[in-house]
Amino acid sequence: MNVHTPDARGAFAVPTSMRYNAVENYIRNTTFDRPTLVLDTDIVAQHYQQLKAGLGNANIHYAVKANPTREIIETLVAQGSHFDAASRGEIELCLSLGAQPSDISFGNTVKRASDIAFAYHAGITLFAADAEEELEKLAEHAPKSEVYIRLIVDASEADWPLSRKFGCARDKALSLLGYARDLGLKPVGFSFHVGSQTRRSAMWTVTLDQIAQVWTDAHAAGFELDLLNIGGGFPAFYGEEIEGPTAYAAGVMKLVHARFGNVPRIMAEPGRGLVAEAGMIAAEVLLVSKKSNNDTHRWVYLDIGKFSGLAETMDEAIRYQFVTDRDHEDTGACILAGPSCDSADVLYELRPVQLPLGLKSGDKIMIRNCGAYTSSYSSVGFNGFPPLAVEVI
Ligand SMILES: *Cc1c(COP(=O)(O)O)cnc(C)c1O
């Protein structure tokens, strides 16, 4: 029943839209007793190849946090992907599923010293940093390793910007390269993240201009950098138009080459763009109600909310698409909320969603393109609601 039968014949030739139907059909024909993310790893493999086709000789380091499901990591290992890990746990996961230490970067700029030591002894030699103290930790626990300096991005056009928490400003970048060298590390380049869900490749222009300026300054100061890590930001389809993976990646690489020339090593770290479209969530309507007799909006409560997988609805940043068996019926505006007893657990209220007027308790509701940042963002059981279940077809 729940058996995965890879179809080598047509697996990668089938258009993504048709492959969705495999997940959708499975959900339609299955009864779930809790919210469940259903994943199709063939789509992950397909997206890997599509991104790779646009990225050329840039290496893909999958950002494991987007979805650490075992079968996804295994699929990407088989595709030849590299990995970007943020913790000892993610490193152990990748190693246990066959990734080589040389293919794993430790990209978190805020690392526990014992995790650095673990990574170093496991054979990992590429680390990120954006501060003196982090470089000191690396020099002590991962001596002579390669390090790239993460730069701050302050002109993001992303739907889910990563803000000022990570990276350092231009004035600091060169002093950190020098400090890394003084500490016996090998400063090899820079990284940045344009912001998650950056919908069009042209939106990278301003950020790349800024990074290229620092790159040029570093070379002028005598640093022989050979690595540029362009991070993630590759978008998924949530209803607003985006470029396809290959065109998008090629568009970004064109902007990169125009500014940086031939960089020996380029890394890209897609998370969302690799896995979001590989999964759909099967959920259920628990209650439809009105707060007063003349309330213009219905409240629709689902069995999944902010704490059980839909954290990216925070500030209504990511707007998921919903599918029901009543989609042929007339629709009306709804405020959509999760099941928990926390008033923050409202998914969409500022911009209500249109759902069928006949929707009622017990109806199945499917949420499209949920393969990224859902299962990994689900709490262990707030209010006694189970974490998001994951099934791979
Ligand atoms: C989260 C993260 C990514 C992945 O970002 P997406 O927008 O999902 O592609 C890449 N690199 C780093 C360092 C990250 O923290």
Side-chain angles (χ1 to χ4, degrees):
M1 178 182 64
N2 184 12
V3 177
H4 183 43
T5 45
D7 176 3
R9 190 173 31 88
F12 307 124
V14 181
T16 306
S17 57
M18 302 231 356
R19 294 291 312 166
Y20 290 150
N21 290 339
V23 170
E24 197 169 319
N25 287 341
Y26 176 79
I27 293 178
R28 283 186 194 283
N29 296 316
T30 307
T31 303
F32 300 89
D33 58 5
R34 57 191 273 199
T36 302
L37 170 65
V38 179
L39 291 166
D40 181 345
T41 51
D42 286 351
I43 297 179
V44 176
Q46 184 189 59
H47 276 231
Y48 178 88
Q49 296 191 352
Q50 290 171 337
L51 282 174
K52 187 76 186 139
L55 286 168
N57 55 11
N59 273 328
I60 292 181
H61 285 238
Y62 171 57
V64 176
K65 73 175 188 291
N67 192 327
T69 299
R70 177 194 174 91
E71 289 88 342
I72 287 185
I73 307 294
E74 285 171 342
T75 299
L76 289 171
V77 168
Q79 291 291 319
S81 183
H82 297 199
F83 296 88
D84 181 62
S87 63
R88 174 174 178 159
E90 287 186 353
I91 293 168
E92 285 178 319
L93 175 72
C94 294
L95 290 174
S96 73
L97 298 177
Q100 297 301 310
S102 55
D103 293 344
I104 301 174
S105 50
F106 198 166
N108 193 342
T109 52
V110 187
K111 293 177 283 300
R112 185 178 288 279
S114 59
D115 282 11
I116 296 173
F118 169 83
Y120 179 73
H121 290 294
I124 289 166
T125 59
L126 184 59
F127 298 83
D130 65 4
E132 288 84 353
E133 215 177 32
E134 194 70 16
L135 291 173
E136 290 160 9
K137 280 189 268 173
L138 289 173
E140 183 177 347
H141 300 287
K144 302 196 174 75
S145 291
E146 292 187 328
V147 60
Y148 52 84
I149 303 299
R150 173 126 176 212
L151 298 171
I152 209 160
V153 165
D154 51 22
S156 181
E157 291 189 70
D159 288 350
W160 187 266
L162 298 181
S163 80
R164 298 177 41 74
K165 179 171 172 186
F166 305 104
C168 65
R170 197 164 140 184
D171 56 345
K172 199 146 186 167
L174 298 204
S175 62
L176 287 180
L177 289 177
Y179 192 46
R181 193 172 51 192
D182 295 346
L183 289 168
L185 296 163
K186 294 191 201 92
V188 289
F190 291 121
S191 74
F192 64 94
H193 195 301
V194 72
S196 203
Q197 186 68 7
T198 293
R199 274 179 279 110
R200 292 195 309 279
S201 56
M203 290 174 166
W204 287 59
T205 309
V206 177
T207 298
L208 287 172
D209 284 344
Q210 291 172 355
I211 307 293
Q213 188 60 56
V214 190
W215 180 266
T216 306
D217 292 351
H219 278 270
F223 294 101
E224 285 171 20
L225 306 182
D226 75 342
L227 182 143
L228 178 67
N229 178 348
I230 66 172
F234 302 80
F237 182 72
Y238 296 116
E240 279 188 86
E241 200 185 335
I242 56 167
E243 293 162 271
T246 304
Y248 185 98
V252 170
M253 290 312 287
K254 198 171 162 205
L255 295 172
V256 168
H257 289 309
R259 284 159 185 75
F260 296 83
N262 276 329
V263 181
R265 289 191 284 170
I266 301 182
M267 293 164 57
E269 303 174 325
R272 187 189 306 280
L274 258 179
V275 297
E277 294 179 12
M280 241 176 145
I281 287 173
E284 191 178 314
V285 176
L286 296 184
L287 177 70
V288 180
S289 67
K290 285 193 168 187
K291 299 291 174 192
S292 73
N293 289 335
N294 52 8
D295 203 344
T296 51
H297 288 10
R298 292 165 298 157
W299 281 72
V300 173
Y301 298 89
L302 305 180
D303 63 351
I304 183 169
K306 272 206 166 71
F307 302 101
S308 45
L310 302 183
E312 286 205 308
T313 58
M314 205 190 301
D315 300 327
E316 308 195 11
I318 298 294
R319 292 191 70 86
Y320 294 109
Q321 295 183 292
F322 300 90
V323 183
T324 74
D325 286 339
R326 302 179 188 276
D327 287 346
H328 54 280
E329 294 179 10
D330 288 344
T331 62
C334 305
I335 297 167
L336 203 61
S340 71
C341 302
D342 189 311
S343 55
D345 195 7
V346 174
L347 306 176
Y348 302 114
E349 183 172 17
L350 300 174
R351 281 170 63 201
V353 289
Q354 291 287 325
L355 288 174
L357 292 171
L359 205 64
K360 61 178 174 39
S361 170
D363 283 357
K364 194 178 271 183
I365 185 159
M366 294 180 268
I367 315 175
R368 280 222 163 95
N369 297 345
C370 281
Y373 303 116
T374 51
S375 53
S376 55
Y377 261 163
S378 171
S379 78
V380 292
F382 177 53
N383 244 185
F385 295 107
L388 183 57
V390 179
E391 285 186 34
V392 180
I393 60 167

